[in-house]
mmCIF file of all heavy atoms in Angstrom:
data_model
loop_
_atom_site.group_PDB
_atom_site.id
_atom_site.type_symbol
_atom_site.label_atom_id
_atom_site.label_comp_id
_atom_site.label_asym_id
_atom_site.label_seq_id
_atom_site.Cartn_x
_atom_site.Cartn_y
_atom_site.Cartn_z
ATOM 1 N N SER A 36 1.153 22.093 20.016
ATOM 2 C CA SER A 36 1.372 22.774 18.742
ATOM 3 C C SER A 36 0.434 22.238 17.679
ATOM 4 O O SER A 36 -0.143 22.982 16.895
ATOM 5 C CB SER A 36 2.829 22.597 18.293
ATOM 6 O OG SER A 36 3.698 23.171 19.233
ATOM 7 N N SER A 37 0.293 20.903 17.656
ATOM 8 C CA SER A 37 -0.600 20.303 16.669
ATOM 9 C C SER A 37 -2.033 20.748 16.882
ATOM 10 O O SER A 37 -2.748 21.076 15.948
ATOM 11 C CB SER A 37 -0.493 18.777 16.740
ATOM 12 O OG SER A 37 -1.406 18.168 15.860
ATOM 13 N N SER A 38 -2.443 20.794 18.157
ATOM 14 C CA SER A 38 -3.808 21.234 18.457
ATOM 15 C C SER A 38 -4.008 22.685 18.064
ATOM 16 O O SER A 38 -5.037 23.064 17.502
ATOM 17 C CB SER A 38 -4.098 21.039 19.952
ATOM 18 O OG SER A 38 -3.981 19.680 20.310
ATOM 19 N N SER A 39 -2.996 23.540 18.346
ATOM 20 C CA SER A 39 -3.115 24.960 18.009
ATOM 21 C C SER A 39 -3.182 25.156 16.511
ATOM 22 O O SER A 39 -3.980 25.941 15.999
ATOM 23 C CB SER A 39 -1.918 25.736 18.582
ATOM 24 O OG SER A 39 -1.897 25.629 19.988
ATOM 25 N N ALA A 40 -2.336 24.420 15.774
ATOM 26 C CA ALA A 40 -2.349 24.555 14.315
ATOM 27 C C ALA A 40 -3.675 24.082 13.744
ATOM 28 O O ALA A 40 -4.227 24.698 12.834
ATOM 29 C CB ALA A 40 -1.197 23.746 13.711
ATOM 30 N N SER A 41 -4.191 22.971 14.297
ATOM 31 C CA SER A 41 -5.478 22.480 13.808
ATOM 32 C C SER A 41 -6.576 23.479 14.092
ATOM 33 O O SER A 41 -7.449 23.728 13.251
ATOM 34 C CB SER A 41 -5.802 21.135 14.476
ATOM 35 O OG SER A 41 -4.810 20.180 14.175
ATOM 36 N N THR A 42 -6.537 24.075 15.293
ATOM 37 C CA THR A 42 -7.554 25.064 15.636
ATOM 38 C C THR A 42 -7.459 26.273 14.738
ATOM 39 O O THR A 42 -8.462 26.803 14.254
ATOM 40 C CB THR A 42 -7.396 25.493 17.112
ATOM 41 O OG1 THR A 42 -7.502 24.328 17.931
ATOM 42 C CG2 THR A 42 -8.465 26.499 17.492
ATOM 43 N N ALA A 43 -6.207 26.745 14.491
ATOM 44 C CA ALA A 43 -6.038 27.909 13.620
ATOM 45 C C ALA A 43 -6.523 27.604 12.211
ATOM 46 O O ALA A 43 -7.198 28.420 11.576
ATOM 47 C CB ALA A 43 -4.565 28.323 13.597
ATOM 48 N N ALA A 44 -6.172 26.412 11.705
ATOM 49 C CA ALA A 44 -6.623 26.050 10.362
ATOM 50 C C ALA A 44 -8.144 25.982 10.302
ATOM 51 O O ALA A 44 -8.762 26.411 9.330
ATOM 52 C CB ALA A 44 -6.013 24.708 9.957
ATOM 53 N N ALA A 45 -8.754 25.443 11.363
ATOM 54 C CA ALA A 45 -10.215 25.369 11.399
ATOM 55 C C ALA A 45 -10.832 26.761 11.436
ATOM 56 O O ALA A 45 -11.843 27.026 10.786
ATOM 57 C CB ALA A 45 -10.657 24.546 12.610
ATOM 58 N N ASP A 46 -10.203 27.682 12.213
ATOM 59 C CA ASP A 46 -10.712 29.045 12.269
ATOM 60 C C ASP A 46 -10.660 29.703 10.899
ATOM 61 O O ASP A 46 -11.596 30.379 10.469
ATOM 62 C CB ASP A 46 -9.909 29.882 13.277
ATOM 63 C CG ASP A 46 -10.205 29.474 14.712
ATOM 64 O OD1 ASP A 46 -11.236 28.804 14.926
ATOM 65 O OD2 ASP A 46 -9.407 29.821 15.606
ATOM 66 N N TYR A 47 -9.540 29.524 10.188
ATOM 67 C CA TYR A 47 -9.419 30.103 8.852
ATOM 68 C C TYR A 47 -10.470 29.513 7.910
ATOM 69 O O TYR A 47 -11.114 30.206 7.142
ATOM 70 C CB TYR A 47 -8.025 29.853 8.285
ATOM 71 C CG TYR A 47 -6.991 30.843 8.724
ATOM 72 C CD1 TYR A 47 -5.996 30.474 9.627
ATOM 73 C CD2 TYR A 47 -6.991 32.132 8.235
ATOM 74 C CE1 TYR A 47 -5.029 31.386 10.027
ATOM 75 C CE2 TYR A 47 -6.030 33.050 8.627
ATOM 76 C CZ TYR A 47 -5.050 32.669 9.514
ATOM 77 O OH TYR A 47 -4.101 33.555 9.907
ATOM 78 N N SER A 48 -10.610 28.190 7.956
ATOM 79 C CA SER A 48 -11.575 27.541 7.068
ATOM 80 C C SER A 48 -12.986 28.015 7.358
ATOM 81 O O SER A 48 -13.783 28.267 6.456
ATOM 82 C CB SER A 48 -11.483 26.011 7.226
ATOM 83 O OG SER A 48 -10.197 25.555 6.889
ATOM 84 N N ALA A 49 -13.304 28.160 8.651
ATOM 85 C CA ALA A 49 -14.639 28.632 9.007
ATOM 86 C C ALA A 49 -14.861 30.058 8.524
ATOM 87 O O ALA A 49 -15.926 30.402 7.997
ATOM 88 C CB ALA A 49 -14.829 28.556 10.524
ATOM 89 N N ALA A 50 -13.836 30.899 8.677
ATOM 90 C CA ALA A 50 -13.955 32.279 8.207
ATOM 91 C C ALA A 50 -14.143 32.328 6.701
ATOM 92 O O ALA A 50 -14.930 33.112 6.168
ATOM 93 C CB ALA A 50 -12.728 33.088 8.607
ATOM 94 N N LEU A 51 -13.425 31.464 5.982
ATOM 95 C CA LEU A 51 -13.538 31.451 4.534
ATOM 96 C C LEU A 51 -14.916 30.984 4.086
ATOM 97 O O LEU A 51 -15.482 31.498 3.130
ATOM 98 C CB LEU A 51 -12.452 30.556 3.934
ATOM 99 C CG LEU A 51 -12.301 30.599 2.420
ATOM 100 C CD1 LEU A 51 -11.857 31.985 1.990
ATOM 101 C CD2 LEU A 51 -11.315 29.565 1.943
ATOM 102 N N ARG A 52 -15.483 30.004 4.806
ATOM 103 C CA ARG A 52 -16.827 29.534 4.442
ATOM 104 C C ARG A 52 -17.862 30.635 4.673
ATOM 105 O O ARG A 52 -18.790 30.801 3.891
ATOM 106 C CB ARG A 52 -17.182 28.295 5.258
ATOM 107 C CG ARG A 52 -16.474 27.025 4.812
ATOM 108 C CD ARG A 52 -17.129 25.810 5.418
ATOM 109 N NE ARG A 52 -17.071 25.828 6.872
ATOM 110 C CZ ARG A 52 -16.074 25.312 7.572
ATOM 111 N NH1 ARG A 52 -15.047 24.761 6.956
ATOM 112 N NH2 ARG A 52 -16.084 25.353 8.890
ATOM 113 N N ARG A 53 -17.700 31.390 5.751
ATOM 114 C CA ARG A 53 -18.669 32.449 6.038
ATOM 115 C C ARG A 53 -18.483 33.649 5.116
ATOM 116 O O ARG A 53 -19.421 34.378 4.840
ATOM 117 C CB ARG A 53 -18.532 32.910 7.494
ATOM 118 C CG ARG A 53 -18.998 31.888 8.513
ATOM 119 C CD ARG A 53 -19.125 32.523 9.881
ATOM 120 N NE ARG A 53 -17.863 33.030 10.374
ATOM 121 C CZ ARG A 53 -16.994 32.287 11.065
ATOM 122 N NH1 ARG A 53 -17.242 31.013 11.293
ATOM 123 N NH2 ARG A 53 -15.864 32.810 11.507
ATOM 124 N N HIS A 54 -17.244 33.851 4.634
ATOM 125 C CA HIS A 54 -16.944 35.034 3.833
ATOM 126 C C HIS A 54 -16.143 34.594 2.610
ATOM 127 O O HIS A 54 -14.920 34.677 2.587
ATOM 128 C CB HIS A 54 -16.149 36.051 4.658
ATOM 129 C CG HIS A 54 -16.818 36.402 5.949
ATOM 130 N ND1 HIS A 54 -17.786 37.364 6.035
ATOM 131 C CD2 HIS A 54 -16.675 35.881 7.194
ATOM 132 C CE1 HIS A 54 -18.206 37.454 7.293
ATOM 133 N NE2 HIS A 54 -17.555 36.565 8.005
ATOM 134 N N PRO A 55 -16.818 34.119 1.553
ATOM 135 C CA PRO A 55 -16.102 33.531 0.418
ATOM 136 C C PRO A 55 -15.282 34.531 -0.367
ATOM 137 O O PRO A 55 -14.475 34.139 -1.196
ATOM 138 C CB PRO A 55 -17.241 32.959 -0.451
ATOM 139 C CG PRO A 55 -18.446 33.748 -0.059
ATOM 140 C CD PRO A 55 -18.269 34.061 1.402
ATOM 141 N N HIS A 56 -15.460 35.848 -0.149
ATOM 142 C CA HIS A 56 -14.665 36.825 -0.887
ATOM 143 C C HIS A 56 -13.252 36.925 -0.343
ATOM 144 O O HIS A 56 -12.386 37.527 -0.976
ATOM 145 C CB HIS A 56 -15.320 38.200 -0.822
ATOM 146 C CG HIS A 56 -15.489 38.722 0.575
ATOM 147 N ND1 HIS A 56 -16.500 38.290 1.386
ATOM 148 C CD2 HIS A 56 -14.768 39.605 1.288
ATOM 149 C CE1 HIS A 56 -16.407 38.910 2.553
ATOM 150 N NE2 HIS A 56 -15.360 39.709 2.520
ATOM 151 N N LEU A 57 -12.986 36.357 0.848
ATOM 152 C CA LEU A 57 -11.635 36.388 1.378
ATOM 153 C C LEU A 57 -10.780 35.364 0.646
ATOM 154 O O LEU A 57 -11.247 34.307 0.249
ATOM 155 C CB LEU A 57 -11.636 36.093 2.876
ATOM 156 C CG LEU A 57 -12.396 37.111 3.729
ATOM 157 C CD1 LEU A 57 -12.365 36.692 5.180
ATOM 158 C CD2 LEU A 57 -11.803 38.495 3.577
ATOM 159 N N HIS A 58 -9.510 35.696 0.495
ATOM 160 C CA HIS A 58 -8.619 34.878 -0.330
ATOM 161 C C HIS A 58 -7.740 34.012 0.558
ATOM 162 O O HIS A 58 -7.024 34.510 1.408
ATOM 163 C CB HIS A 58 -7.751 35.800 -1.192
ATOM 164 C CG HIS A 58 -6.759 35.064 -2.037
ATOM 165 N ND1 HIS A 58 -7.084 33.921 -2.726
ATOM 166 C CD2 HIS A 58 -5.455 35.310 -2.294
ATOM 167 C CE1 HIS A 58 -6.010 33.501 -3.384
ATOM 168 N NE2 HIS A 58 -5.020 34.311 -3.132
ATOM 169 N N LEU A 59 -7.806 32.708 0.365
ATOM 170 C CA LEU A 59 -7.000 31.757 1.135
ATOM 171 C C LEU A 59 -5.826 31.309 0.289
ATOM 172 O O LEU A 59 -6.000 30.829 -0.823
ATOM 173 C CB LEU A 59 -7.849 30.542 1.519
ATOM 174 C CG LEU A 59 -7.131 29.416 2.274
ATOM 175 C CD1 LEU A 59 -6.687 29.913 3.633
ATOM 176 C CD2 LEU A 59 -8.050 28.216 2.426
ATOM 177 N N THR A 60 -4.632 31.470 0.823
ATOM 178 C CA THR A 60 -3.424 31.061 0.121
ATOM 179 C C THR A 60 -2.716 29.990 0.930
ATOM 180 O O THR A 60 -2.571 30.129 2.132
ATOM 181 C CB THR A 60 -2.480 32.268 -0.072
ATOM 182 O OG1 THR A 60 -3.174 33.254 -0.819
ATOM 183 C CG2 THR A 60 -1.227 31.848 -0.829
ATOM 184 N N ILE A 61 -2.269 28.944 0.254
ATOM 185 C CA ILE A 61 -1.519 27.877 0.903
ATOM 186 C C ILE A 61 -0.123 27.874 0.300
ATOM 187 O O ILE A 61 0.040 27.947 -0.915
ATOM 188 C CB ILE A 61 -2.205 26.517 0.681
ATOM 189 C CG1 ILE A 61 -3.661 26.600 1.160
ATOM 190 C CG2 ILE A 61 -1.461 25.409 1.400
ATOM 191 C CD1 ILE A 61 -4.449 25.371 0.852
ATOM 192 N N ASP A 62 0.894 27.791 1.153
ATOM 193 C CA ASP A 62 2.262 27.933 0.687
ATOM 194 C C ASP A 62 2.740 26.765 -0.163
ATOM 195 O O ASP A 62 3.705 26.876 -0.885
ATOM 196 C CB ASP A 62 3.213 28.100 1.870
ATOM 197 C CG ASP A 62 3.182 29.524 2.393
ATOM 198 O OD1 ASP A 62 2.595 30.366 1.701
ATOM 199 O OD2 ASP A 62 3.734 29.771 3.471
ATOM 200 N N ASP A 63 2.104 25.603 -0.051
ATOM 201 C CA ASP A 63 2.496 24.498 -0.909
ATOM 202 C C ASP A 63 1.281 24.047 -1.692
ATOM 203 O O ASP A 63 0.210 24.604 -1.604
ATOM 204 C CB ASP A 63 3.099 23.343 -0.090
ATOM 205 C CG ASP A 63 2.191 22.920 1.054
ATOM 206 O OD1 ASP A 63 0.969 23.022 0.884
ATOM 207 O OD2 ASP A 63 2.709 22.494 2.101
ATOM 208 N N ASP A 64 1.464 23.027 -2.505
ATOM 209 C CA ASP A 64 0.400 22.565 -3.387
ATOM 210 C C ASP A 64 -0.451 21.475 -2.760
ATOM 211 O O ASP A 64 -1.307 20.907 -3.422
ATOM 212 C CB ASP A 64 0.997 22.042 -4.705
ATOM 213 C CG ASP A 64 1.677 23.159 -5.482
ATOM 214 O OD1 ASP A 64 1.215 24.304 -5.342
ATOM 215 O OD2 ASP A 64 2.648 22.879 -6.203
ATOM 216 N N ARG A 65 -0.219 21.166 -1.502
ATOM 217 C CA ARG A 65 -0.999 20.119 -0.868
ATOM 218 C C ARG A 65 -2.333 20.671 -0.384
ATOM 219 O O ARG A 65 -2.543 21.866 -0.301
ATOM 220 C CB ARG A 65 -0.222 19.544 0.314
ATOM 221 C CG ARG A 65 1.092 18.899 -0.083
ATOM 222 C CD ARG A 65 1.915 18.606 1.154
ATOM 223 N NE ARG A 65 2.260 19.816 1.869
ATOM 224 C CZ ARG A 65 2.884 19.828 3.028
ATOM 225 N NH1 ARG A 65 3.221 18.701 3.608
ATOM 226 N NH2 ARG A 65 3.184 20.971 3.613
ATOM 227 N N ALA A 66 -3.229 19.766 -0.033
ATOM 228 C CA ALA A 66 -4.495 20.195 0.540
ATOM 229 C C ALA A 66 -4.244 20.809 1.903
ATOM 230 O O ALA A 66 -3.276 20.489 2.573
ATOM 231 C CB ALA A 66 -5.433 18.988 0.668
ATOM 232 N N PRO A 67 -5.128 21.724 2.374
ATOM 233 C CA PRO A 67 -4.930 22.330 3.680
ATOM 234 C C PRO A 67 -4.888 21.274 4.776
ATOM 235 O O PRO A 67 -5.664 20.339 4.797
ATOM 236 C CB PRO A 67 -6.163 23.232 3.830
ATOM 237 C CG PRO A 67 -6.627 23.478 2.440
ATOM 238 C CD PRO A 67 -6.294 22.239 1.674
ATOM 239 N N SER A 68 -3.938 21.433 5.675
ATOM 240 C CA SER A 68 -3.818 20.528 6.810
ATOM 241 C C SER A 68 -3.291 21.305 7.984
ATOM 242 O O SER A 68 -3.009 22.496 7.891
ATOM 243 C CB SER A 68 -2.863 19.370 6.468
ATOM 244 O OG SER A 68 -1.551 19.869 6.295
ATOM 245 N N ALA A 69 -3.155 20.647 9.109
ATOM 246 C CA ALA A 69 -2.671 21.330 10.300
ATOM 247 C C ALA A 69 -1.264 21.848 10.116
ATOM 248 O O ALA A 69 -0.866 22.822 10.733
ATOM 249 C CB ALA A 69 -2.718 20.373 11.495
ATOM 250 N N SER A 70 -0.469 21.201 9.237
ATOM 251 C CA SER A 70 0.909 21.625 9.051
ATOM 252 C C SER A 70 1.064 22.617 7.912
ATOM 253 O O SER A 70 2.135 23.139 7.691
ATOM 254 C CB SER A 70 1.798 20.408 8.775
ATOM 255 O OG SER A 70 1.364 19.741 7.602
ATOM 256 N N SER A 71 0.001 22.856 7.121
ATOM 257 C CA SER A 71 0.098 23.813 6.028
ATOM 258 C C SER A 71 0.200 25.223 6.579
ATOM 259 O O SER A 71 -0.353 25.535 7.616
ATOM 260 C CB SER A 71 -1.137 23.712 5.116
ATOM 261 O OG SER A 71 -1.214 22.441 4.514
ATOM 262 N N SER A 72 0.900 26.062 5.835
ATOM 263 C CA SER A 72 1.039 27.463 6.239
ATOM 264 C C SER A 72 -0.056 28.257 5.548
ATOM 265 O O SER A 72 -0.066 28.390 4.332
ATOM 266 C CB SER A 72 2.417 27.983 5.841
ATOM 267 O OG SER A 72 2.583 29.301 6.260
ATOM 268 N N LEU A 73 -1.003 28.758 6.309
ATOM 269 C CA LEU A 73 -2.175 29.406 5.746
ATOM 270 C C LEU A 73 -2.072 30.911 5.890
ATOM 271 O O LEU A 73 -1.573 31.427 6.873
ATOM 272 C CB LEU A 73 -3.443 28.923 6.470
ATOM 273 C CG LEU A 73 -3.673 27.423 6.486
ATOM 274 C CD1 LEU A 73 -4.964 27.117 7.233
ATOM 275 C CD2 LEU A 73 -3.753 26.873 5.077
ATOM 276 N N ARG A 74 -2.589 31.607 4.877
ATOM 277 C CA ARG A 74 -2.676 33.052 4.947
ATOM 278 C C ARG A 74 -4.066 33.456 4.489
ATOM 279 O O ARG A 74 -4.587 32.922 3.516
ATOM 280 C CB ARG A 74 -1.638 33.733 4.037
ATOM 281 C CG ARG A 74 -0.215 33.492 4.445
ATOM 282 C CD ARG A 74 0.702 34.485 3.766
ATOM 283 N NE ARG A 74 0.618 34.428 2.322
ATOM 284 C CZ ARG A 74 1.376 33.646 1.564
ATOM 285 N NH1 ARG A 74 2.240 32.837 2.118
ATOM 286 N NH2 ARG A 74 1.267 33.652 0.258
#
Side-chain angles (χ1 to χ4, degrees):
S36 298
S37 176
S38 299
S39 299
S41 300
T42 302
D46 288 343
Y47 276 108
S48 300
L51 189 64
R52 286 194 299 271
R53 290 193 298 272
H54 306 275
H56 59 282
L57 297 178
H58 177 44
L59 177 65
T60 301
I61 305 173
D62 280 349
D63 52 32
D64 295 330
R65 298 169 297 175
S68 66
S70 60
S71 297
S72 182
L73 304 180
R74 295 196 301 270

